Amino acid sequence: MDFMALLGIGLLTGVTTALFGFGGGFVAVPVVVWANAALGPDAMRVAVATSALVMLVNAGFATAVTPRRTLAALRGGGPLLALLAAGAAAGAFAVRYAPAGPVRWAFLGYLALTIADLALRPGFLRPNPHPRPRPRPLADTAAPARGPLPAALGLPIGAVAAFLGVGGSVLTVPAMRRAGHPMRLATVLANPLTLVVTLPATAVSLGGTVDSAAAQAHAQLVGLVDLRAAGALLLGALPVIALLRRRPPRIPDRVHAWAYLLLLCVMTAAMAFAG
């Protein structure tokens, strides 16, 4: 794929990182599969690994420019973060040895199930008829600190996210939404959670190898990571993240939720037609 095309798609990953907390995973995976079609079945493994690196940098940058008051919602979330990291390391090791075809179909299947869940089950697009108690306001410092999600969810979220190269936001944002957080806060908090997931996943991916003979023509591969594709995507994404964090658009909560769901639908279609 042409470098300028990757750069342009990088702009989109910046938008998804800043507005939806995706970190770029759902955009990066189909794009990198296309860019590395010559690798055959190994293209999916390279896409997952490259996606982890792109999300690591995007999520780290987005977290760094997020107001500290907003990140205070993560206080008390140490056990959740530790389990996310442990699950991510396990998922990243698993994808190194899993057949590429099933990983691709697992990616598509997971997206389809997520879309159906968000569209049909109350709590994301429409109010839950039996809501849980709302989370405490961020300014309520007298209330006991707790993480944004139950710590027990960290291990499965980290493992699935690293295995599929999605960063975790598609699991954490709906869960935080159903816990009572507005979309704005849920998508912002998804970035530091994605950072925790992608750090061990990227470290594991850099030590992987591609078995395909076509890999000899890909001098830009370091481990399983396509540095050329990652560099182009990040070059487009980082300025957009900085701009949208400095001047975030005012999006009604319901519109924000619908846009999140529609973006998942677009990414599912893109992956279905990827090489």
Side-chain angles (χ1 to χ4, degrees):
M1 183 177 287
D2 182 78
F3 182 87
M4 294 305 296
L6 288 169
L7 184 65
I9 295 169
L11 298 175
L12 178 59
T13 71
V15 173
T16 64
T17 300
L19 299 186
F20 301 102
F22 283 158
F26 282 100
V27 180
V29 170
V31 168
V32 179
V33 167
W34 281 328
N36 290 279
L39 293 177
D42 283 328
M44 184 64 191
R45 296 171 60 215
V46 169
V48 170
T50 305
S51 170
L53 177 60
V54 170
M55 289 187 293
L56 173 65
V57 178
N58 281 346
F61 183 67
T63 300
V65 296
T66 297
R68 292 295 159 281
R69 181 178 179 276
T70 301
L71 294 176
L74 291 172
R75 285 183 302 191
L80 170 66
L81 300 180
L83 288 173
L84 279 170
F93 271 112
V95 80
R96 285 177 57 176
Y97 303 104
V103 173
R104 182 171 181 267
W105 285 110
F107 184 97
L108 282 169
Y110 181 74
L111 279 176
L113 288 174
T114 299
I115 290 168
D117 177 69
L118 298 186
L120 300 176
R121 193 156 64 100
F124 190 82
L125 294 178
R126 59 188 187 279
N128 192 328
H130 305 290
R132 300 174 183 174
R134 292 185 63 82
R136 65 179 175 86
L138 293 181
D140 185 7
T141 55
R146 61 181 178 85
L149 291 173
L153 294 178
L155 199 63
I157 286 177
V160 172
F163 187 79
L164 299 180
V166 298
S169 57
V170 80
L171 296 94
T172 58
V173 169
M176 286 188 280
R177 172 86 165 156
R178 290 195 168 104
H181 294 293
M183 281 296 293
R184 178 194 60 80
L185 182 60
T187 53
V188 168
L189 292 182
N191 284 311
L193 297 180
T194 294
L195 178 62
V196 173
V197 169
T198 53
L199 184 58
T202 300
V204 171
S205 297
L206 289 172
T209 57
V210 174
D211 297 328
S212 171
Q216 302 300 321
H218 285 64
Q220 69 270 26
L221 289 181
V222 175
L224 293 172
V225 176
D226 182 345
L227 291 183
R228 177 178 176 273
L233 291 170
L234 290 170
L235 190 60
L238 295 179
V240 177
I241 295 171
L243 176 63
L244 292 178
R245 275 288 183 265
R246 181 180 295 271
R247 297 182 179 179
R250 296 182 180 276
I251 305 174
D253 190 67
R254 186 172 176 80
V255 173
H256 203 166
W258 272 103
Y260 183 99
L261 179 61
L262 291 174
L263 184 58
L264 288 185
C265 293
V266 171
M267 290 303 103
T268 303
M271 189 63 191
F273 291 103

